[in-house]
Amino acid sequence: MNSPDDLHQRPIVSVDLAIFALAPDGLEVLLAQRGAEPFAGSWALPGGWIHVDEDRDLEAAAQRVLRDKTGVAAPYFEQVGVFGDAARDPRGWSLSVTYMALIAKEAVTLMHGGNATGAAWHPIGSDTATIPLAFDHAAILKAAVTRLRNKVEYTTLPVHLLPEAFTLSELQAVYERLLGRLLDKSAFRKRIAEVDFIEPIAGEMRRASNRPAQLYRLKQARSTVFFDRTI
Amino acid sequence: MNSPDDLHQRPIVSVDLAIFALAPDGLEVLLAQRGAEPFAGSWALPGGWIHVDEDRDLEAAAQRVLRDKTGVAAPYFEQVGVFGDAARDPRGWSLSVTYMALIAKEAVTLMHGGNATGAAWHPIGSDTATIPLAFDHAAILKAAVTRLRNKVEYTTLPVHLLPEAFTLSELQAVYERLLGRLLDKSAFRKRIAEVDFIEPIAGEMRRASNRPAQLYRLKQARSTVFFDRTI
DNA sequence: ATACTTAGTGTAAAGTTTCAACTAACTTAG
DNA sequence: CTAAGTTAGTTGAAACTTTACACTAAGTAT
Protein backbone atom coordinates (compact mmCIF):
# COMPACT_ATOMS: atom_id res chain seq x y z
CA MET A 1 0.00 0.00 0.00
CA ASN A 2 3.05 2.18 -0.34
CA SER A 3 2.11 3.49 -3.77
CA PRO A 4 -0.60 2.68 -6.28
CA ASP A 5 1.86 1.09 -8.64
CA ASP A 6 -0.65 -1.51 -9.59
CA LEU A 7 -2.37 0.79 -12.05
CA HIS A 8 -5.59 -1.15 -11.87
CA GLN A 9 -5.95 0.24 -8.36
CA ARG A 10 -6.22 3.72 -9.82
CA PRO A 11 -9.77 4.98 -10.36
CA ILE A 12 -10.77 6.58 -13.67
CA VAL A 13 -10.97 10.38 -13.33
CA SER A 14 -13.03 12.71 -15.49
CA VAL A 15 -13.57 16.46 -15.25
CA ASP A 16 -17.20 17.44 -15.80
CA LEU A 17 -18.86 20.83 -16.08
CA ALA A 18 -22.21 22.28 -15.13
CA ILE A 19 -22.30 25.37 -17.36
CA PHE A 20 -25.22 27.63 -16.43
CA ALA A 21 -26.81 30.52 -18.27
CA LEU A 22 -30.04 32.41 -17.84
CA ALA A 23 -32.73 32.25 -20.53
CA PRO A 24 -36.02 34.18 -20.52
CA ASP A 25 -37.75 31.13 -19.03
CA GLY A 26 -35.21 30.51 -16.27
CA LEU A 27 -31.92 28.81 -15.61
CA GLU A 28 -30.46 26.52 -18.29
CA VAL A 29 -27.55 24.10 -18.37
CA LEU A 30 -25.37 23.15 -21.33
CA LEU A 31 -25.57 19.40 -22.02
CA ALA A 32 -23.68 17.25 -24.53
CA GLN A 33 -25.13 14.26 -26.31
CA ARG A 34 -22.83 11.28 -25.95
CA GLY A 35 -21.49 9.73 -29.16
CA ALA A 36 -19.83 6.65 -27.63
CA GLU A 37 -20.60 3.92 -25.12
CA PRO A 38 -21.37 3.88 -22.30
CA PHE A 39 -24.67 5.79 -22.48
CA ALA A 40 -24.28 6.50 -26.24
CA GLY A 41 -27.07 8.85 -27.32
CA SER A 42 -27.82 10.05 -23.77
CA TRP A 43 -27.39 13.62 -22.64
CA ALA A 44 -24.63 14.27 -20.12
CA LEU A 45 -22.66 17.09 -18.52
CA PRO A 46 -19.84 18.04 -20.90
CA GLY A 47 -16.59 16.56 -19.67
CA GLY A 48 -13.29 14.98 -20.52
CA TRP A 49 -10.27 13.19 -19.18
CA ILE A 50 -7.35 14.87 -17.53
CA HIS A 51 -4.58 15.23 -20.11
CA VAL A 52 -1.61 14.39 -17.96
CA ASP A 53 0.92 16.01 -20.26
CA GLU A 54 -1.13 19.03 -21.25
CA ASP A 55 -3.10 20.19 -18.20
CA ARG A 56 -1.14 21.96 -15.49
CA ASP A 57 -3.84 21.48 -12.85
CA LEU A 58 -7.49 20.54 -12.39
CA GLU A 59 -8.80 23.98 -13.12
CA ALA A 60 -6.78 24.10 -16.36
CA ALA A 61 -8.34 20.79 -17.40
CA ALA A 62 -11.82 22.16 -16.67
CA GLN A 63 -11.08 25.37 -18.58
CA ARG A 64 -9.92 23.31 -21.55
CA VAL A 65 -13.18 21.34 -21.57
CA LEU A 66 -15.14 24.58 -21.34
CA ARG A 67 -13.21 26.18 -24.19
CA ASP A 68 -13.71 23.12 -26.39
CA LYS A 69 -17.47 23.14 -25.85
CA THR A 70 -18.32 26.83 -25.78
CA GLY A 71 -15.43 28.86 -27.14
CA VAL A 72 -15.65 30.89 -23.90
CA ALA A 73 -12.40 31.53 -22.09
CA ALA A 74 -12.77 32.99 -18.60
CA PRO A 75 -16.19 33.13 -16.99
CA TYR A 76 -17.00 32.57 -13.35
CA PHE A 77 -15.65 29.21 -12.31
CA GLU A 78 -15.95 27.18 -9.11
CA GLN A 79 -15.33 23.61 -8.01
CA VAL A 80 -18.54 21.87 -6.92
CA GLY A 81 -16.93 18.68 -5.62
CA VAL A 82 -15.86 15.16 -6.46
CA PHE A 83 -18.30 12.34 -6.93
CA GLY A 84 -16.86 8.85 -6.87
CA ASP A 85 -17.92 5.28 -6.38
CA ALA A 86 -17.59 1.78 -7.81
CA ALA A 87 -20.87 1.78 -9.73
CA ARG A 88 -21.37 5.12 -11.47
CA ASP A 89 -19.42 4.14 -14.59
CA PRO A 90 -19.63 0.58 -16.00
CA ARG A 91 -15.92 0.77 -16.90
CA GLY A 92 -14.90 0.70 -13.23
CA TRP A 93 -14.33 2.67 -10.04
CA SER A 94 -14.51 6.28 -11.21
CA LEU A 95 -14.39 9.87 -10.06
CA SER A 96 -16.00 12.94 -11.53
CA VAL A 97 -14.36 16.21 -10.53
CA THR A 98 -17.15 18.69 -11.17
CA TYR A 99 -16.92 22.42 -11.77
CA MET A 100 -19.69 24.88 -12.38
CA ALA A 101 -19.39 27.87 -14.67
CA LEU A 102 -21.70 30.86 -15.07
CA ILE A 103 -21.85 32.68 -18.38
CA ALA A 104 -23.95 35.15 -20.28
CA LYS A 105 -25.72 33.12 -22.95
CA GLU A 106 -24.91 35.67 -25.65
CA ALA A 107 -21.18 35.10 -25.12
CA VAL A 108 -21.32 31.43 -26.17
CA THR A 109 -20.88 29.74 -29.53
CA LEU A 110 -21.63 26.06 -29.20
CA MET A 111 -18.89 23.73 -30.43
CA HIS A 112 -19.04 20.13 -31.55
CA GLY A 113 -16.65 17.24 -31.59
CA GLY A 114 -14.93 14.91 -29.19
CA ASN A 115 -17.08 12.30 -27.53
CA ALA A 116 -20.19 14.34 -28.02
CA THR A 117 -22.32 14.53 -31.16
CA GLY A 118 -23.90 17.80 -30.13
CA ALA A 119 -24.35 20.30 -27.36
CA ALA A 120 -27.50 22.19 -26.43
CA TRP A 121 -29.05 24.28 -23.69
CA HIS A 122 -31.60 22.49 -21.52
CA PRO A 123 -33.91 23.98 -18.90
CA ILE A 124 -33.42 23.27 -15.20
CA GLY A 125 -36.53 22.14 -13.37
CA SER A 126 -36.87 22.66 -9.65
CA ASP A 127 -33.76 20.53 -9.05
CA THR A 128 -31.96 19.18 -12.07
CA ALA A 129 -32.48 18.75 -15.84
CA THR A 130 -35.93 17.86 -17.14
CA ILE A 131 -34.55 14.94 -19.17
CA PRO A 132 -32.73 11.82 -17.88
CA LEU A 133 -28.94 12.10 -17.83
CA ALA A 134 -26.11 9.60 -18.28
CA PHE A 135 -24.10 8.20 -15.32
CA ASP A 136 -25.01 9.91 -12.02
CA HIS A 137 -25.07 13.29 -13.75
CA ALA A 138 -28.60 14.05 -12.55
CA ALA A 139 -27.39 13.90 -8.94
CA ILE A 140 -24.25 15.88 -9.75
CA LEU A 141 -26.23 18.56 -11.53
CA LYS A 142 -28.62 18.70 -8.60
CA ALA A 143 -25.69 19.39 -6.26
CA ALA A 144 -24.47 22.18 -8.56
CA VAL A 145 -27.94 23.76 -8.81
CA THR A 146 -28.36 23.63 -5.03
CA ARG A 147 -24.97 25.27 -4.56
CA LEU A 148 -25.81 28.00 -7.07
CA ARG A 149 -29.27 28.67 -5.58
CA ASN A 150 -27.82 28.86 -2.05
CA LYS A 151 -25.11 31.27 -3.08
CA VAL A 152 -27.62 33.59 -4.69
CA GLU A 153 -28.94 34.37 -1.20
CA TYR A 154 -25.70 35.79 0.13
CA THR A 155 -23.24 36.51 -2.69
CA THR A 156 -22.84 38.62 -5.80
CA LEU A 157 -22.43 35.52 -7.93
CA PRO A 158 -25.49 36.07 -10.19
CA VAL A 159 -23.77 39.03 -11.81
CA HIS A 160 -21.81 36.52 -13.91
CA LEU A 161 -24.99 35.48 -15.71
CA LEU A 162 -25.25 38.98 -17.21
CA PRO A 163 -23.26 40.50 -20.07
CA GLU A 164 -20.46 42.95 -19.26
CA ALA A 165 -22.70 46.00 -19.00
CA PHE A 166 -26.03 45.86 -17.20
CA THR A 167 -28.45 48.01 -15.23
CA LEU A 168 -29.39 47.62 -11.57
CA SER A 169 -32.92 46.65 -12.60
CA GLU A 170 -31.53 43.88 -14.79
CA LEU A 171 -29.35 42.64 -11.95
CA GLN A 172 -32.34 42.65 -9.60
CA ALA A 173 -34.37 40.69 -12.17
CA VAL A 174 -31.63 38.00 -12.28
CA TYR A 175 -31.76 37.62 -8.49
CA GLU A 176 -35.55 37.47 -8.60
CA ARG A 177 -35.62 34.77 -11.26
CA LEU A 178 -33.07 32.63 -9.44
CA LEU A 179 -34.74 33.08 -6.06
CA GLY A 180 -38.28 32.73 -7.36
CA ARG A 181 -39.49 35.73 -5.38
CA LEU A 182 -39.65 39.50 -5.78
CA LEU A 183 -37.20 41.77 -3.98
CA ASP A 184 -37.70 45.29 -2.69
CA LYS A 185 -35.97 47.78 -4.93
CA SER A 186 -34.53 50.09 -2.30
CA ALA A 187 -33.32 47.24 -0.07
CA PHE A 188 -31.71 45.54 -3.07
CA ARG A 189 -29.86 48.69 -4.09
CA LYS A 190 -28.68 49.25 -0.52
CA ARG A 191 -27.15 45.74 -0.36
CA ILE A 192 -25.45 46.15 -3.71
CA ALA A 193 -24.05 49.55 -2.75
CA GLU A 194 -22.72 48.20 0.57
CA VAL A 195 -20.56 45.52 -0.98
CA ASP A 196 -19.09 47.82 -3.62
CA PHE A 197 -18.36 45.33 -6.39
CA ILE A 198 -19.75 47.15 -9.45
CA GLU A 199 -19.21 50.65 -10.82
CA PRO A 200 -21.21 52.90 -13.13
CA ILE A 201 -19.86 53.18 -16.66
CA ALA A 202 -19.53 56.94 -17.05
CA GLY A 203 -21.98 58.34 -19.56
CA GLU A 204 -23.40 54.96 -20.58
CA MET A 205 -27.14 54.54 -20.23
CA ARG A 206 -29.67 51.88 -21.29
CA ARG A 207 -32.29 53.80 -23.31
CA ALA A 208 -35.93 52.80 -23.80
CA SER A 209 -39.19 54.68 -23.96
CA ASN A 210 -38.83 55.78 -20.34
CA ARG A 211 -36.26 57.16 -17.96
CA PRO A 212 -32.80 55.90 -19.08
CA ALA A 213 -30.95 53.63 -16.67
CA GLN A 214 -27.30 53.82 -15.65
CA LEU A 215 -25.16 50.95 -16.96
CA TYR A 216 -22.77 49.24 -14.57
CA ARG A 217 -19.82 46.87 -14.90
CA LEU A 218 -17.98 44.59 -12.47
CA LYS A 219 -15.13 46.31 -10.67
CA GLN A 220 -11.81 44.87 -11.76
CA ALA A 221 -10.11 42.34 -9.48
CA ARG A 222 -13.29 41.67 -7.54
CA SER A 223 -14.17 38.03 -7.17
CA THR A 224 -17.44 36.96 -5.60
CA VAL A 225 -18.34 39.09 -2.62
CA PHE A 226 -20.45 37.95 0.34
CA PHE A 227 -23.26 40.05 1.77
CA ASP A 228 -23.32 40.69 5.52
CA ARG A 229 -26.94 39.60 5.57
CA THR A 230 -28.98 37.69 2.99
CA ILE A 231 -30.12 39.65 -0.05
CA MET B 1 -9.64 10.05 -26.07
CA ASN B 2 -12.56 7.68 -25.90
CA SER B 3 -11.45 6.08 -22.64
CA PRO B 4 -8.38 6.35 -20.44
CA ASP B 5 -7.32 2.84 -21.37
CA ASP B 6 -3.75 3.94 -21.42
CA LEU B 7 -3.45 3.61 -17.67
CA HIS B 8 -0.53 6.00 -17.52
CA GLN B 9 -3.00 8.73 -18.38
CA ARG B 10 -4.74 8.14 -15.09
CA PRO B 11 -3.70 10.45 -12.28
CA ILE B 12 -2.82 9.05 -8.84
CA VAL B 13 -5.68 9.61 -6.37
CA SER B 14 -5.40 9.80 -2.59
CA VAL B 15 -8.01 10.55 0.04
CA ASP B 16 -6.72 12.90 2.74
CA LEU B 17 -8.29 14.09 5.97
CA ALA B 18 -8.21 17.28 8.00
CA ILE B 19 -9.38 16.01 11.38
CA PHE B 20 -10.09 18.88 13.75
CA ALA B 21 -10.59 18.95 17.50
CA LEU B 22 -10.64 21.72 20.05
CA ALA B 23 -7.94 21.87 22.76
CA PRO B 24 -7.80 24.39 25.62
CA ASP B 25 -5.43 26.52 23.53
CA GLY B 26 -7.50 26.48 20.35
CA LEU B 27 -8.13 24.42 17.26
CA GLU B 28 -5.88 21.43 16.55
CA VAL B 29 -5.46 19.12 13.59
CA LEU B 30 -4.40 15.48 13.60
CA LEU B 31 -1.20 14.97 11.56
CA ALA B 32 0.65 11.78 10.65
CA GLN B 33 4.41 11.50 10.32
CA ARG B 34 5.33 9.91 7.00
CA GLY B 35 7.33 6.69 7.14
CA ALA B 36 8.09 6.35 3.42
CA GLU B 37 9.29 8.47 0.54
CA PRO B 38 8.34 10.96 -0.74
CA PHE B 39 8.62 13.33 2.21
CA ALA B 40 9.68 10.56 4.65
CA GLY B 41 9.79 11.99 8.17
CA SER B 42 7.61 15.00 7.32
CA TRP B 43 4.22 15.60 8.88
CA ALA B 44 1.21 15.31 6.58
CA LEU B 45 -2.56 15.08 6.63
CA PRO B 46 -3.49 11.44 7.29
CA GLY B 47 -4.55 9.80 4.05
CA GLY B 48 -4.57 6.72 1.92
CA TRP B 49 -5.34 5.29 -1.49
CA ILE B 50 -8.76 4.34 -2.67
CA HIS B 51 -9.15 0.57 -2.28
CA VAL B 52 -11.00 -0.22 -5.46
CA ASP B 53 -12.31 -3.56 -4.27
CA GLU B 54 -13.07 -2.55 -0.69
CA ASP B 55 -14.42 1.03 -0.71
CA ARG B 56 -17.95 1.49 -2.00
CA ASP B 57 -17.54 5.22 -2.54
CA LEU B 58 -15.31 8.18 -1.71
CA GLU B 59 -16.87 8.82 1.65
CA ALA B 60 -16.40 5.16 2.62
CA ALA B 61 -12.71 5.44 1.71
CA ALA B 62 -12.40 8.56 3.86
CA GLN B 63 -14.21 6.89 6.77
CA ARG B 64 -11.85 3.93 6.50
CA VAL B 65 -8.81 6.22 6.74
CA LEU B 66 -10.36 7.99 9.73
CA ARG B 67 -11.13 4.73 11.50
CA ASP B 68 -7.60 3.45 10.92
CA LYS B 69 -6.05 6.59 12.40
CA THR B 70 -8.36 7.45 15.26
CA GLY B 71 -10.62 4.51 16.03
CA VAL B 72 -13.55 6.95 15.66
CA ALA B 73 -16.45 5.82 13.52
CA ALA B 74 -19.00 8.50 12.71
CA PRO B 75 -18.22 12.10 13.51
CA TYR B 76 -19.14 15.15 11.43
CA PHE B 77 -17.80 14.67 7.94
CA GLU B 78 -17.68 16.97 4.91
CA GLN B 79 -15.86 17.07 1.59
CA VAL B 80 -13.55 20.08 1.32
CA GLY B 81 -12.59 19.63 -2.32
CA VAL B 82 -10.11 18.09 -4.73
CA PHE B 83 -6.64 19.43 -5.21
CA GLY B 84 -4.79 18.24 -8.28
CA ASP B 85 -1.88 19.17 -10.49
CA ALA B 86 1.21 17.80 -12.17
CA ALA B 87 3.70 18.91 -9.54
CA ARG B 88 2.31 18.28 -6.06
CA ASP B 89 3.57 14.69 -5.88
CA PRO B 90 6.95 13.73 -7.37
CA ARG B 91 5.46 10.38 -8.48
CA GLY B 92 3.30 12.10 -11.11
CA TRP B 93 0.05 13.91 -11.85
CA SER B 94 -1.97 13.44 -8.67
CA LEU B 95 -5.21 14.31 -6.95
CA SER B 96 -6.01 14.68 -3.28
CA VAL B 97 -9.68 14.29 -2.43
CA THR B 98 -9.86 16.04 0.93
CA TYR B 99 -12.45 15.66 3.67
CA MET B 100 -12.62 17.41 6.98
CA ALA B 101 -13.90 15.77 10.16
CA LEU B 102 -14.81 17.34 13.48
CA ILE B 103 -14.52 15.33 16.66
CA ALA B 104 -14.44 15.70 20.40
CA LYS B 105 -10.83 15.12 21.38
CA GLU B 106 -11.82 12.82 24.26
CA ALA B 107 -13.43 10.38 21.80
CA VAL B 108 -10.14 9.62 20.00
CA THR B 109 -7.53 6.93 20.55
CA LEU B 110 -4.59 7.52 18.25
CA MET B 111 -3.62 4.56 16.08
CA HIS B 112 -0.37 3.73 14.36
CA GLY B 113 0.60 1.81 11.29
CA GLY B 114 0.38 2.05 7.56
CA ASN B 115 2.56 4.64 5.89
CA ALA B 116 2.79 6.70 9.01
CA THR B 117 5.14 6.17 11.92
CA GLY B 118 3.01 8.20 14.28
CA ALA B 119 0.06 10.51 14.62
CA ALA B 120 -0.25 13.56 16.87
CA TRP B 121 -2.33 16.65 17.44
CA HIS B 122 -0.82 19.91 16.22
CA PRO B 123 -2.05 23.45 16.84
CA ILE B 124 -3.51 25.53 14.02
CA GLY B 125 -2.06 29.00 13.71
CA SER B 126 -4.05 31.79 12.09
CA ASP B 127 -4.24 29.81 8.85
CA THR B 128 -2.67 26.38 8.80
CA ALA B 129 -0.31 24.21 10.88
CA THR B 130 2.61 25.83 12.67
CA ILE B 131 5.07 23.29 11.20
CA PRO B 132 5.89 22.66 7.50
CA LEU B 133 3.82 19.92 5.86
CA ALA B 134 4.50 17.40 3.08
CA PHE B 135 3.18 17.85 -0.48
CA ASP B 136 0.79 20.82 -0.78
CA HIS B 137 -0.86 19.88 2.50
CA ALA B 138 -0.28 23.32 4.02
CA ALA B 139 -2.46 24.85 1.28
CA ILE B 140 -5.06 22.09 1.59
CA LEU B 141 -5.23 22.49 5.36
CA LYS B 142 -5.57 26.23 4.92
CA ALA B 143 -8.59 25.67 2.67
CA ALA B 144 -10.16 23.37 5.26
CA VAL B 145 -9.53 25.83 8.12
CA THR B 146 -11.02 28.68 6.09
CA ARG B 147 -14.09 26.58 5.32
CA LEU B 148 -14.51 25.65 8.98
CA ARG B 149 -14.06 29.23 10.22
CA ASN B 150 -16.55 30.56 7.66
CA LYS B 151 -19.16 27.98 8.57
CA VAL B 152 -18.92 28.87 12.24
CA GLU B 153 -20.51 32.22 11.41
CA TYR B 154 -23.75 30.79 10.06
CA THR B 155 -24.11 27.10 10.98
CA THR B 156 -24.41 24.81 13.96
CA LEU B 157 -21.29 22.93 12.90
CA PRO B 158 -19.16 23.69 16.01
CA VAL B 159 -21.41 21.46 18.10
CA HIS B 160 -19.51 18.48 16.67
CA LEU B 161 -16.36 19.57 18.51
CA LEU B 162 -18.11 18.91 21.83
CA PRO B 163 -18.84 15.57 23.50
CA GLU B 164 -22.38 14.16 23.35
CA ALA B 165 -23.69 16.13 26.33
CA PHE B 166 -22.83 19.79 26.79
CA THR B 167 -24.20 22.99 28.30
CA LEU B 168 -25.18 26.14 26.41
CA SER B 169 -22.29 28.01 28.02
CA GLU B 170 -19.86 25.37 26.73
CA LEU B 171 -21.35 25.64 23.25
CA GLN B 172 -21.02 29.42 23.35
CA ALA B 173 -17.39 29.09 24.46
CA VAL B 174 -16.66 26.89 21.40
CA TYR B 175 -18.11 29.52 19.07
CA GLU B 176 -16.13 32.22 20.84
CA ARG B 177 -12.84 30.37 20.57
CA LEU B 178 -13.35 29.62 16.87
CA LEU B 179 -14.46 33.15 16.07
CA GLY B 180 -11.89 34.87 18.25
CA ARG B 181 -14.48 37.23 19.74
CA LEU B 182 -17.00 37.24 22.57
CA LEU B 183 -20.70 36.77 21.92
CA ASP B 184 -23.68 38.15 23.78
CA LYS B 185 -25.29 35.47 25.92
CA SER B 186 -28.92 36.32 25.27
CA ALA B 187 -28.45 36.80 21.52
CA PHE B 188 -26.56 33.50 21.31
CA ARG B 189 -29.29 31.62 23.12
CA LYS B 190 -31.96 33.18 20.91
CA ARG B 191 -30.17 31.98 17.73
CA ILE B 192 -29.71 28.50 19.10
CA ALA B 193 -33.35 28.27 20.17
CA GLU B 194 -34.56 29.48 16.74
CA VAL B 195 -32.90 26.70 14.79
CA ASP B 196 -34.06 23.95 17.13
CA PHE B 197 -31.26 21.42 16.67
CA ILE B 198 -30.47 20.46 20.28
CA GLU B 199 -32.67 19.30 23.14
CA PRO B 200 -32.29 19.32 26.93
CA ILE B 201 -31.46 15.95 28.49
CA ALA B 202 -34.21 15.60 31.07
CA GLY B 203 -32.86 15.79 34.60
CA GLU B 204 -29.20 15.96 33.57
CA MET B 205 -27.25 18.94 34.88
CA ARG B 206 -23.61 19.96 34.89
CA ARG B 207 -22.75 20.57 38.58
CA ALA B 208 -20.05 22.85 39.91
CA SER B 209 -19.73 25.23 42.80
CA ASN B 210 -22.47 27.44 41.40
CA ARG B 211 -25.86 27.24 39.77
CA PRO B 212 -26.08 23.90 37.87
CA ALA B 213 -26.47 24.09 34.10
CA GLN B 214 -28.84 22.11 31.89
CA LEU B 215 -27.13 19.53 29.68
CA TYR B 216 -28.16 19.31 26.03
CA ARG B 217 -27.66 16.81 23.22
CA LEU B 218 -27.99 17.00 19.42
CA LYS B 219 -31.49 16.20 18.21
CA GLN B 220 -31.52 12.94 16.31
CA ALA B 221 -31.47 13.09 12.50
CA ARG B 222 -30.40 16.72 12.47
CA SER B 223 -27.49 17.47 10.23
CA THR B 224 -25.85 20.89 10.17
CA VAL B 225 -28.41 23.67 10.35
CA PHE B 226 -27.97 27.16 8.90
CA PHE B 227 -28.85 30.28 10.84
CA ASP B 228 -31.08 32.90 9.19
CA ARG B 229 -28.57 35.55 10.17
CA THR B 230 -24.98 35.24 11.31
CA ILE B 231 -24.40 34.14 14.89
C1' DA C 1 -48.72 69.33 -23.44
C1' DT C 2 -50.20 65.11 -21.29
C1' DA C 3 -50.09 60.35 -20.36
C1' DC C 4 -47.25 56.41 -19.66
C1' DT C 5 -43.34 53.84 -18.11
C1' DT C 6 -39.41 52.62 -15.69
C1' DA C 7 -35.30 54.68 -12.70
C1' DG C 8 -33.99 56.00 -8.58
C1' DT C 9 -34.81 58.10 -3.62
C1' DG C 10 -37.15 58.94 0.91
C1' DT C 11 -39.64 57.79 5.04
C1' DA C 12 -42.64 55.98 8.83
C1' DA C 13 -43.71 51.82 11.11
C1' DA C 14 -42.27 47.31 12.41
C1' DG C 15 -38.85 44.33 13.74
C1' DT C 16 -34.00 43.06 15.52
C1' DT C 17 -29.93 43.61 17.92
C1' DT C 18 -27.18 45.26 21.60
C1' DC C 19 -25.88 46.26 26.16
C1' DA C 20 -26.34 45.77 30.61
C1' DA C 21 -28.68 44.70 34.57
C1' DC C 22 -31.42 41.50 36.97
C1' DT C 23 -33.02 37.13 39.19
C1' DA C 24 -31.92 32.08 40.19
C1' DA C 25 -29.49 28.23 42.11
C1' DC C 26 -25.93 26.20 43.60
C1' DT C 27 -21.14 25.69 46.77
C1' DT C 28 -17.97 27.32 50.10
C1' DA C 29 -16.28 30.00 54.06
C1' DG C 30 -17.12 31.61 58.39
C1' DC D 1 -27.22 29.08 59.36
C1' DT D 2 -25.98 32.96 56.86
C1' DA D 3 -23.37 35.66 53.66
C1' DA D 4 -20.27 35.87 49.77
C1' DG D 5 -18.96 34.13 45.45
C1' DT D 6 -19.89 32.13 41.00
C1' DT D 7 -22.11 30.88 36.94
C1' DA D 8 -27.04 30.01 34.69
C1' DG D 9 -30.58 31.88 32.64
C1' DT D 10 -34.07 36.03 31.72
C1' DT D 11 -35.61 40.74 30.88
C1' DG D 12 -36.03 45.29 28.92
C1' DA D 13 -34.85 49.99 27.08
C1' DA D 14 -32.30 52.21 23.53
C1' DA D 15 -30.07 51.96 19.10
C1' DC D 16 -30.14 50.31 14.80
C1' DT D 17 -32.09 47.76 10.43
C1' DT D 18 -35.50 46.28 7.52
C1' DT D 19 -39.82 46.57 5.16
C1' DA D 20 -43.48 48.38 2.58
C1' DC D 21 -44.84 51.79 -0.05
C1' DA D 22 -45.06 56.25 -1.82
C1' DC D 23 -42.81 59.80 -4.01
C1' DT D 24 -39.85 62.33 -7.47
C1' DA D 25 -37.12 62.06 -11.99
C1' DA D 26 -36.39 61.55 -16.85
C1' DG D 27 -37.16 59.82 -20.79
C1' DT D 28 -40.70 58.30 -25.14
C1' DA D 29 -45.17 58.22 -27.50
C1' DT D 30 -49.37 60.42 -28.80
Side-chain angles (χ1 to χ4, degrees):
Chain A
M1 100 159 234
N2 192 18
S3 157
D5 280 341
D6 173 2
L7 286 167
H8 293 285
Q9 284 286 115
R10 293 189 188 182
I12 306 164
V13 182
S14 67
V15 176
D16 298 305
L17 264 67
I19 304 166
F20 294 111
L22 205 51
D25 292 337
L27 199 59
E28 295 189 338
V29 64
L30 187 65
L31 297 177
Q33 195 166 26
R34 291 184 56 79
E37 290 297 339
F39 295 99
S42 287
W43 292 92
L45 298 175
W49 309 111
I50 291 168
H51 291 182
V52 157
D53 24 56
E54 183 184 344
D55 301 322
R56 197 207 293 312
D57 57 29
L58 277 173
E59 185 154 328
Q63 293 274 10
R64 177 176 50 74
V65 170
L66 179 71
R67 218 171 37 242
D68 292 353
K69 297 290 184 213
T70 67
V72 170
Y76 180 78
F77 222 68
E78 164 176 342
Q79 192 183 94
V80 175
V82 215
F83 301 82
D85 63 43
R88 55 185 295 283
D89 188 317
R91 291 165 292 187
W93 222 107
S94 67
L95 294 181
S96 163
V97 178
T98 304
Y99 283 79
M100 76 178 182
L102 302 185
I103 52 185
K105 208 169 168 182
E106 310 88 69
V108 178
T109 328
L110 296 182
M111 307 293 202
H112 298 262
N115 256 5
T117 57
W121 292 103
H122 289 257
I124 299 285
S126 56
D127 254 342
T128 184
T130 53
I131 52 165
L133 300 185
F135 305 104
D136 55 353
H137 286 190
I140 293 178
L141 178 56
K142 185 173 166 175
V145 169
T146 301
R147 171 85 135 260
L148 171 58
R149 292 240 163 93
N150 281 339
K151 281 200 145 181
V152 172
E153 284 282 357
Y154 57 90
T155 73
T156 60
L157 197 142
V159 76
H160 300 286
L161 293 166
L162 285 171
E164 255 188 71
F166 52 86
T167 69
L168 290 179
S169 297
E170 288 163 0
L171 183 58
Q172 182 174 344
V174 172
Y175 274 88
E176 289 175 339
R177 268 192 290 164
L178 291 172
L179 291 169
R181 63 186 154 90
L182 296 177
L183 299 175
D184 180 76
K185 186 162 49 161
S186 66
F188 179 79
R189 282 164 188 242
K190 189 166 166 251
R191 280 275 185 282
I192 297 296
E194 272 166 14
V195 296
D196 182 41
F197 76 115
I198 58 176
E199 59 191 0
I201 310 175
E204 298 243 350
M205 307 296 267
R206 172 90 73 231
R207 321 199 127 265
S209 70
N210 51 33
R211 176 169 174 176
Q214 179 65 55
L215 284 168
Y216 288 81
R217 68 160 89 89
L218 259 182
K219 279 200 178 178
Q220 224 45 43
R222 283 242 156 234
S223 55
T224 304
V225 180
F226 290 70
F227 299 123
D228 266 18
R229 303 276 190 248
T230 54
I231 192 79
Chain B
M1 101 158 231
N2 192 17
S3 157
D5 281 342
D6 173 2
L7 285 168
H8 293 285
Q9 285 286 116
R10 294 189 188 182
I12 305 163
V13 182
S14 68
V15 175
D16 297 306
L17 263 67
I19 304 166
F20 293 112
L22 205 50
D25 292 336
L27 199 60
E28 294 188 338
V29 65
L30 187 64
L31 297 177
Q33 195 166 26
R34 292 184 55 80
E37 290 296 338
F39 294 99
S42 287
W43 292 92
L45 297 175
W49 309 112
I50 291 168
H51 292 183
V52 158
D53 25 55
E54 182 183 345
D55 302 322
R56 197 207 291 314
D57 57 27
L58 276 174
E59 186 154 328
Q63 293 274 13
R64 177 176 51 72
V65 171
L66 178 72
R67 218 171 38 242
D68 292 354
K69 297 289 184 214
T70 67
V72 170
Y76 179 78
F77 222 70
E78 163 176 342
Q79 192 183 95
V80 175
V82 215
F83 301 82
D85 63 44
R88 56 184 296 283
D89 188 317
R91 289 166 293 187
W93 222 107
S94 68
L95 295 181
S96 162
V97 177
T98 305
Y99 283 79
M100 74 178 183
L102 302 186
I103 53 185
K105 206 169 169 182
E106 308 88 70
V108 178
T109 329
L110 296 182
M111 306 292 202
H112 297 263
N115 255 5
T117 57
W121 292 103
H122 289 258
I124 299 285
S126 56
D127 255 341
T128 184
T130 52
I131 53 166
L133 300 185
F135 305 104
D136 55 352
H137 286 191
I140 293 178
L141 178 55
K142 185 173 166 175
V145 169
T146 302
R147 169 87 134 259
L148 171 58
R149 292 240 163 93
N150 281 337
K151 281 199 146 182
V152 172
E153 284 282 357
Y154 57 89
T155 73
T156 60
L157 197 143
V159 77
H160 300 286
L161 293 166
L162 286 171
E164 254 188 71
F166 53 87
T167 68
L168 290 180
S169 298
E170 288 163 358
L171 183 58
Q172 183 174 343
V174 173
Y175 274 88
E176 289 175 341
R177 266 192 292 164
L178 292 171
L179 292 169
R181 63 186 155 89
L182 297 176
L183 299 175
D184 179 76
K185 186 162 51 161
S186 66
F188 179 80
R189 283 163 188 243
K190 188 165 168 253
R191 280 276 186 282
I192 297 297
E194 273 166 12
V195 296
D196 182 42
F197 76 115
I198 58 176
E199 59 190 1
I201 310 174
E204 298 244 350
M205 309 297 265
R206 171 91 72 232
R207 322 198 126 267
S209 70
N210 50 33
R211 178 171 173 173
Q214 179 65 54
L215 284 169
Y216 289 81
R217 69 160 88 88
L218 259 182
K219 279 200 177 179
Q220 222 46 42
R222 283 240 155 236
S223 55
T224 304
V225 180
F226 290 70
F227 300 124
D228 265 19
R229 303 273 191 250
T230 54
I231 193 81

